[in-house]
Amino acid sequence: MITRSVTIEAIHDLYLTWNDHINASALYRRALREEMDVRDVDPDELRDFLKQAREQGYTRDEIAENTNCFADLRSLVDDEQDQPPAGDTADD
């Protein structure tokens, strides 16, 4: 799991202090899932494409540098799958 800093307003900090049973990390993940839903991104499908990209040898930083949306990630994975393995040629 990657830890990321999130800036919150003073009122949110105070509210979370009063209600320390609230899992702010879960709220953040829920908000991100809602954003994905608005953009028709299936979290399970995104997770699968990210896994495939990593299995193809891409690091998280390389994925972020070469893509900026779900469709880009899908293309990156699909393009890599369409490439013949190293050393294979059409003349073989």
Side-chain angles (χ1 to χ4, degrees):
M1 180 75 53
I2 296 172
T3 303
R4 181 175 296 271
S5 298
V6 176
T7 303
I8 61 172
E9 291 185 50
I11 59 169
H12 299 144
D13 183 40
L14 178 59
Y15 187 78
L16 288 172
T17 300
W18 290 341
N19 297 281
D20 62 356
H21 64 281
I22 294 175
N23 181 340
S25 184
L27 294 174
Y28 178 76
R29 289 190 307 273
R30 185 181 321 146
L32 287 173
R33 280 192 303 271
E34 289 172 4
E35 285 297 315
M36 286 184 211
D37 190 44
V38 166
R39 289 164 177 75
D40 295 323
V41 173
D42 180 321
D44 293 327
E45 192 175 14
L46 178 58
R47 186 176 291 110
D48 290 343
F49 277 111
L50 178 58
K51 181 181 175 186
Q52 288 177 39
R54 286 182 169 167
E55 288 172 351
Q56 292 171 353
Y58 291 100
T59 65
R60 184 243 170 251
D61 289 341
E62 289 171 331
I63 295 166
E65 287 173 13
N66 292 303
T67 65
N68 67 4
C69 65
F70 180 71
D72 288 350
L73 178 59
R74 179 181 298 171
S75 292
L76 181 74
V77 169
D78 289 345
D79 288 348
E80 187 71 25
Q81 288 178 347
D82 292 341
Q83 298 295 320
D88 282 359
T89 63
D91 296 335
D92 289 345

